[in-house]
Every structure is written in C-alpha cells, then in structure tokens.
C-alpha cells in the first residue's frame, strides 16, 4: 500500500492536518480490506459451508444495517470469498484476515479483528461482518462512526484513549509503511492532539472529549465513510445474482 509521505509534505500541512494524518491511515486499511474481498480470493466451489445465510437472516441483517437485502446478499458472497481462504467453515479467522491485510501492522490487525468480533469468540461471523461494515456506509449515523473510531484507539478497552496507546498505534503503522515521521514530530503531533482534545487535562481522552474533538476536525472521519457501500451491487457487479428476496 502506498501511504502518504508525511515527512515530505509536513511543512505544507497545518497542525490540524498533521493530526489528521496520524489517525487517517487506520481507516484506510478498512477500505483496503473491503476492496480485497472483491478481487483477491478465488475459492473453488466445494461442499456447502457449515455456516449458511438463509433469506430470513438476510432480511433481518438488512433491518439491522444500512444495507438493502440484495446488498446483504451480495456482501455474503464477498464474505464467503474471505472465509474460505484458509479454513472453509463460513467464518473469518484472524489468519484469514491477516492474509487479506498482509501489509497491515499486527497491532492494527488485532484491533480491527477485535472490533469486528462482537461476540469475542475468536472468529468473525457474517452478521458481525455486516454490523461492522454498516458503520462505514455513507448513511450510517455519525455517532456510530465516532464510537467505532474511539474504540479503535482504546487499546486497553478502558473507556479512554491514552497517549501511550496513540503513540503505540501510530508507531506500528509508521514502522511497517512508507510513511516518514520523526519521533520528535510524532510526539509534537500527539502533544497537540491531547492539548486540543483532553479538555479536563487528565492525560487521557474520554469518549465525550473524543466526540467534541472529532466534530472540530471532521476530516478524521473522512475514511470512516466508503462511498461504494451505498450501492454494493453496482460497485461489485460480479457478485450480483438472482435472488428470491425482494428489497
């Protein structure tokens, strides 16, 4: 993946833009993940998977998400592509996600997997897949996007974003990407971020502080919206097929 070269253009960025440059790369990987489903896996037809998605499930998941029934059905085809890449059991295992995101840092991969794995049972089921992707739909409420982004950075799941967590996440991205950012510059950006976001000066960012901060810097959520999710069947025409379910 070609990450933006922060060092080469840092002089032309405002402090706010530099702050956004720290957070945005994590959300870009979600975009890569979804694109990967559509083109990178070619599973041969085998016996039916133990996990099947019946029409009542499609209808229920459509009601629980921003997708239409036909779009949920198309996404199920995408899901099956990934879930059979190593173990053909109708579930996405972490190693299968790692295969799809082979350039993603392990720390970030773990966080994405944990957020998709709602039941915390070590695999991603189809309904969890739909629920997570729905957050990136253009019509998804901004509060859902803000909450997802907050949980991404709350590594220890304490209900706060801490300075060490942000530094750890960003350092992991920089280490395994082409982005160039000195430790001094990174520290400066993180210091500025906490100076702006940590309103009560307790050294950590609460969910409400994060909400206020993101609303002041809406570009932080730019990659929390994937435009082509608005019409999956058009974005991925190869997955359109006849359905007995009407939207």
């Amino acid at each position: 993946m070609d990450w933006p070269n922060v060092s080469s253009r840092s002089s032309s960025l405002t402090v706010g833009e530099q702050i956004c440059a720290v957070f945005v790369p994590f959300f870009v990987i979600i975009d890569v993940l979804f694109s990967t489903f559509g083109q990178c896996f070619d599973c041969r037809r085998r016996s039916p998977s133990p996990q099947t998605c019946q029409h009542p499930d499609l209808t229920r998941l459509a009601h629980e998400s921003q997708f239409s029934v036909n779009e949920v059905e198309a996404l199920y085809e995408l899901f099956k592509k990934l879930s059979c890449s190593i173990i053909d059991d109708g579930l996405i295992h972490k190693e299968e996600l790692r295969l799809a995101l082979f350039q993603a840092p392990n720390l970030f991969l773990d966080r994405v997997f944990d957020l998709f794995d709602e039941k915390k049972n070590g695999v991603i089921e189809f309904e969890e897949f739909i629920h997570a992707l729905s957050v990136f739909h253009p019509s998804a409420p901004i509060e859902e996007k803000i909450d997802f982004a907050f949980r991404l950075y709350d590594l220890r799941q304490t209900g706060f974003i801490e300075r060490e967590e942000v530094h750890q996440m960003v350092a992991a991205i920089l280490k395994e990407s082409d982005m160039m950012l000195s430790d001094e510059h990174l520290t400066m950006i993180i210091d500025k971020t906490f100076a702006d976001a940590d309103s009560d000066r307790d050294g950590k960012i609460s969910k409400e502080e994060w909400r206020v901060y993101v609303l002041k810097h809406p570009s932080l959520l730019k990659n929390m919206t994937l435009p082509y999710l608005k019409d999956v069947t058009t974005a991925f025409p190869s997955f359109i097929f006849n359905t007995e379910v009407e939207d």
Side-chain angles (χ1 to χ4, degrees), residues 143-156:
E143 294 297 335
E144 290 185 8
K145 298 177 186 293
I146 292 173
D147 178 68
F148 189 98
F150 180 86
R151 289 186 290 123
L152 180 66
Y153 285 93
D154 181 12
L155 297 181
R156 301 185 181 91

Side-chain angles (χ1 to χ4, degrees), residues 1-10 13 17-29 103 105 108 153 166 169-183 185-186 189 223:
M1 169 180 294
D2 294 326
W3 298 105
N5 191 313
V6 175
S7 180
S8 64
R9 54 194 187 93
S10 60
L13 294 177
E17 289 171 333
Q18 292 174 23
I19 292 170
C20 293
V22 171
F23 287 95
V24 164
F26 304 116
F27 309 133
V28 174
I29 295 184
Q103 291 181 316
F108 183 75
Y153 285 93
V166 175
M169 286 282 277
V170 176
I173 283 286
L174 295 176
K175 182 179 179 180
E176 301 187 38
S177 72
D178 294 329
M179 292 180 67
M180 301 297 294
L181 197 65
S182 67
D183 288 339
H185 196 181
L186 175 58
I189 294 175
N223 289 94

Side-chain angles (χ1 to χ4, degrees), residues 102-122:
F102 61 94
Q103 291 181 316
N106 289 334
L107 177 62
F108 183 75
L109 175 81
D110 290 342
R111 288 305 298 136
V112 171
F113 190 89
D114 288 344
L115 290 179
F116 273 66
D117 180 18
E118 296 173 345
K119 297 180 180 178
K120 307 304 178 190
N121 58 358

Side-chain angles (χ1 to χ4, degrees), residues 19-20 28 33-34 40 53 62 88 98 101 111 120 134 144 155 177 179 185 187-188 194 196 202 205 214 227 241:
I19 292 170
C20 293
V28 174
L33 172 63
F34 189 77
C40 293
C53 192
D88 189 15
R98 190 185 309 279
L101 296 178
R111 288 305 298 136
K120 307 304 178 190
S134 182
E144 290 185 8
L155 297 181
S177 72
M179 292 180 67
H185 196 181
T187 299
M188 180 196 74
F194 274 78
D196 288 350
D202 63 353
I205 301 173
V214 168
F241 51 94

Side-chain angles (χ1 to χ4, degrees), residues 189-244:
I189 294 175
I190 293 176
D191 286 346
K192 176 60 177 175
T193 300
F194 274 78
D196 288 350
D198 181 18
S199 59
D200 61 7
R201 301 293 184 263
D202 63 353
K204 52 192 177 182
I205 301 173
S206 68
K207 185 173 292 187
E208 180 56 27
E209 288 173 330
W210 171 253
R211 177 181 177 279
V212 172
Y213 178 70
V214 168
L215 292 177
K216 285 171 55 181
H217 300 280
S219 55
L220 284 172
L221 296 182
K222 179 179 179 181
N223 289 94
M224 287 294 293
T225 295
L226 305 181
Y228 45 75
L229 286 181
K230 193 167 185 178
D231 190 350
V232 174
T233 54
T234 298
F236 297 96
S238 61
F239 288 96
I240 298 176
F241 51 94
N242 293 330
T243 176
E244 298 174 4

